[in-house]
């Protein structure tokens, strides 16, 4: 393995990341291909840049305290030293650094997520902030969703047992695993109706269980993972997505000619769709994404841009979605963020402006069996990662008066 090539590629990744704020994983994939890294070098590159995402604030602080010259260096010079240090840590422990890190006390929490995010979380959750931050970094389980209209969960668990794979069934039609598995152990009919889906995403999608004559609109569909869950109950479904590649992925994956797919900006007037025409609307809004830090640690360094862009977008999406909701219909608003500005404050703003919109108690839905245990406040439900060992989510159900 060529260590020089890996380190240079890592430095290029960090440089591009800081100018574009594109997801670090995408940048690493692109640059590792351009650099013709072999499979071992690619693996080390990915480990190194994600290590940087998680620990660079710590290492930066460590060198500031240990080496006086460090503060006078340029940003790129600092990152080069940090990457070289982390590269060595991938192979052997540095006892001085480990001891220093373990004895930071309260300061460790602001270094984990950065000062700005720490301040916001502490303001929102002054008594739970440390536990929440710990939870954002805890390893989570792998969850599988199944289409129980096509396969029986017993078929799946029998195969898991046959292969000595430990599992749990914490909620209906969801399987919790403690390790990754190969889907090759399943026959094709099971593979086609089984997919990886975070626990929180399954809870959100499970709230929507339409009757056969009810229409569902997925307002920001992404790659269609939540719509795939809803499709178990109906194909009377419309997906909106601004990103063409994501929409094409959803179209190919759902593979249903009865489902409609539109590449449109959901903050604007929607072509081909009538006002007050949908019984259910799912608005899984773009957000800072801080609830997914354990899977995407680069969010620690790029959340602010997403946060600032998302606040106005979330409001516009909510206002527009309400236009397409039938009287008596239900709108599910969710984000993978714990920040109140993206959640409770957006809901309160809508409630103050739209007098025909009320909050619906999700526990009251007679078809839902596992929402009742999720911690709630006066504007919705919060899925805290330190409690539920999953991504952090906010969920709120709004209804339009008849």
């Amino acid at each position: 393995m060529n260590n020089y090539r890996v380190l240079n590629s890592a430095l290029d990744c960090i440089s591009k990341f800081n100018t574009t704020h594109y997801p670090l994983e995408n940048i690493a994939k692109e640059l590792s291909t351009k650099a013709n890294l072999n499979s071992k070098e690619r693996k080390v590159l990915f480990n190194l840049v994600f290590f940087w995402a998680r620990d660079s604030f710590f290492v930066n602080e460590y060198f500031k305290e240990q080496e006086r010259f460090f503060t006078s260096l340029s940003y790129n010079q600092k990152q080069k030293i940090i990457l070289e240090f982390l590269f060595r840590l991938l192979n052997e422990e540095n006892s001085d650094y480990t001891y220093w890190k373990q004895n930071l006390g309260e300061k460790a929490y602001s270094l984990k997520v950065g000062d700005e995010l720490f301040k916001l979380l502490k303001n929102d959750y002054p008594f739970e902030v440390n536990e929440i931050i710990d939870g954002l970094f805890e390893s989570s389980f792998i969850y599988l969703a199944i289409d129980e209209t096509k396969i029986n969960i017993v078929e799946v668990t029998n195969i898991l047992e046959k292969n000595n794979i430990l599992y749990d069934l914490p909620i209906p039609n969801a399987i919790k695993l403690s390790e990754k598995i190969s889907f090759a152990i399943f026959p094709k009919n099971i593979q086609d109706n089984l997919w990886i889906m975070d626990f929180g995403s399954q809870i959100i999608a499970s709230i929507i269980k339409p009757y056969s004559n009810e229409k569902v609109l997925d307002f920001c569909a992404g790659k269609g993972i939540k719509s795939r869950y809803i499709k178990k109950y109906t194909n009377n479904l419309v997906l909106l997505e601004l990103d063409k590649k994501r929409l094409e992925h959803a179209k190919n994956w759902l593979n249903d000619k009865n489902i409609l797919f539109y590449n449109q900006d959901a903050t604007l007037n929607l072509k081909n769709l009538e006002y007050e025409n949908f019984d259910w609307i799912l608005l899984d809004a773009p957000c800072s994404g801080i609830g997914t830090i354990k899977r995407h640690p680069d969010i620690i360094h790029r959340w602010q841009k997403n946060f600032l862009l998302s606040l106005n977008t979330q409001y516009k999406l909510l206002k527009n979605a309400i236009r397409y909701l039938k009287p008596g219909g239900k709108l599910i608003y969710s984000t993978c963020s714990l920040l109140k500005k993206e959640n409770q404050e957006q809901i309160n703003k809508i409630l103050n402006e739209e007098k025909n919109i009320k909050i619906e108690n999700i526990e009251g839905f007679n078809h839902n069996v596992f929402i009742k245990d999720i911690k709630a406040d006066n504007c919705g439900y919060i899925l805290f990662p330190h409690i539920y060992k999953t991504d952090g989510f906010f969920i709120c159900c709004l209804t339009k008066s008849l």
Side-chain angles (χ1 to χ4, degrees):
M1 188 182 77
N2 189 322
N3 293 352
Y4 177 79
R5 288 207 309 163
V6 172
L7 281 166
N8 266 0
S9 294
L11 192 57
D12 288 343
C13 285
I14 304 311
S15 178
K16 185 168 184 178
F17 174 74
N18 281 294
T19 55
T20 65
H21 291 93
Y22 292 157
L24 193 52
E25 183 178 5
N26 296 354
I27 295 172
K29 284 178 181 176
E30 177 193 344
L31 294 185
S32 63
T33 301
K34 283 185 179 179
N36 284 322
L37 301 186
N38 61 40
S39 59
K40 185 175 182 181
E41 290 168 341
R42 285 169 66 94
K43 184 177 180 180
V44 174
L45 172 65
F46 275 80
N47 287 340
L48 181 56
V49 295
F50 280 100
F51 197 4
W52 174 88
R54 290 191 304 271
D55 261 52
S56 61
F57 288 148
F58 283 101
V59 180
N60 186 73
E61 188 68 19
Y62 176 71
F63 276 109
K64 276 170 61 178
E65 292 183 13
Q66 305 296 319
E67 305 288 350
R68 290 184 180 179
F69 75 90
F70 190 75
T71 54
S72 64
L73 298 177
S74 69
Y75 177 82
N76 284 341
Q77 289 172 324
K78 289 178 182 176
Q79 298 316 308
K80 186 173 186 295
I81 291 172
I82 289 171
L83 283 167
E84 288 172 346
F85 181 77
L86 292 172
F87 185 79
R88 291 193 295 273
L89 282 182
L90 286 175
N91 300 301
E92 59 183 74
E93 184 179 355
N94 181 311
S95 57
D96 288 341
Y97 174 69
T98 302
Y99 179 80
W100 172 85
K101 194 175 177 184
Q102 289 173 345
N103 288 276
L104 282 169
E106 288 292 308
K107 190 176 182 180
Y109 291 98
S110 62
L111 290 174
K112 272 189 174 184
V113 296
D115 288 338
E116 292 305 313
L117 182 52
F118 178 77
K119 287 175 186 175
L120 281 175
L121 286 169
K122 188 170 184 179
N123 182 66
D124 287 348
Y125 308 102
F127 304 111
E128 300 172 285
V129 61
N130 292 353
E131 290 85 351
I132 287 171
I133 291 172
D134 282 338
L136 288 172
F137 289 86
E138 286 176 5
S139 297
S140 58
F141 297 101
I142 297 166
Y143 285 86
L144 302 179
I146 74 164
D147 186 343
E148 72 275 13
T149 66
K150 301 285 179 63
I151 59 174
N152 191 309
I153 196 167
V154 175
E155 297 177 72
V156 181
T157 56
N158 283 344
I159 294 172
L160 293 174
E161 289 170 8
K162 184 178 177 182
N163 286 272
N164 298 313
I165 297 168
L166 299 176
Y167 68 89
D168 191 16
L169 304 174
I171 58 177
N173 303 310
I175 301 171
K176 182 172 77 172
L177 306 172
S178 57
E179 59 182 301
K180 289 183 180 179
I181 62 168
S182 169
F183 274 50
I185 66 174
F186 301 110
K188 189 172 187 310
N189 71 307
I190 290 182
Q191 290 183 34
D192 291 343
N193 295 287
L194 182 74
W195 64 99
I196 294 173
M197 188 175 184
D198 180 76
F199 178 61
S201 295
Q202 291 197 49
I203 287 177
I204 292 165
S206 76
I207 297 167
I208 301 175
K209 280 192 176 177
Y211 296 110
S212 59
N213 63 334
E214 291 183 328
K215 296 179 180 178
V216 182
L217 175 60
D218 191 343
F219 221 61
C220 298
K223 293 183 177 180
I225 191 164
K226 293 181 180 69
S227 281
R228 175 65 184 88
Y229 195 101
I230 297 166
K231 179 178 176 280
K232 296 189 291 184
Y233 310 109
T234 183
N235 57 11
N236 199 354
L237 188 58
V238 177
L239 276 71
L240 301 177
E241 174 54 44
L242 186 60
D243 187 296
K244 287 184 179 179
K245 288 184 178 179
R246 287 185 172 192
L247 189 67
E248 192 60 29
H249 179 280
K251 191 173 183 178
N252 292 334
W253 189 37
L254 271 63
N255 191 28
D256 191 323
K257 292 180 180 178
N258 293 303
I259 297 175
L260 300 177
F261 300 84
Y262 294 116
N263 177 221
Q264 294 188 43
D265 183 344
T267 65
L268 306 175
N269 191 49
L270 303 172
K271 301 174 184 176
N272 306 314
L273 299 183
E274 297 177 7
Y275 286 162
E276 299 196 331
N277 194 37
F278 290 92
D279 302 277
W280 294 87
I281 295 178
L282 171 61
L283 174 48
D284 189 26
C287 65
S288 63
I290 67 157
T292 66
I293 282 174
K294 69 182 70 180
R295 293 189 292 114
H296 306 291
D298 57 321
I299 284 173
I300 300 165
H301 305 271
R302 62 182 174 91
W303 69 273
Q304 282 179 294
K305 183 179 179 182
N306 295 343
F307 175 69
L308 294 171
L309 289 173
S310 296
L311 289 177
N312 190 41
T313 302
Q314 290 159 357
Y315 172 75
K316 288 181 177 179
L317 288 167
L318 274 164
K319 293 285 282 188
N320 204 29
I322 288 166
R323 297 175 187 171
Y324 294 89
L325 187 66
K326 278 184 179 179
K330 307 288 191 296
L331 190 160
I332 308 301
Y333 176 79
S334 65
T335 71
C336 52
S337 172
L338 301 174
L339 297 176
K340 291 186 177 181
K341 285 185 179 294
E342 299 185 275
N343 300 324
Q344 292 94 322
E345 291 185 23
Q346 296 285 24
I347 296 300
N348 279 324
K349 193 187 300 184
I350 291 298
L351 294 175
N352 288 332
E353 295 177 4
E354 304 283 346
K355 300 305 179 184
N356 61 339
I357 297 297
K358 306 293 180 188
I359 290 178
E360 178 90 17
N361 183 356
I362 298 175
E363 288 182 74
F365 287 17
N366 58 18
H367 62 256
N368 194 280
V369 295
F370 43 82
I371 202 78
K372 63 182 182 300
D373 295 323
I374 298 174
K375 189 166 185 176
D377 66 10
N378 62 346
C379 278
Y381 298 80
I382 305 166
L383 198 60
F384 283 115
H386 66 292
I387 297 175
Y388 302 102
K389 312 303 179 188
T390 182
D391 288 346
F393 279 100
F394 172 83
I395 312 165
C396 180
C397 180
L398 300 174
T399 186
K400 182 184 280 189
S401 302
L402 291 167

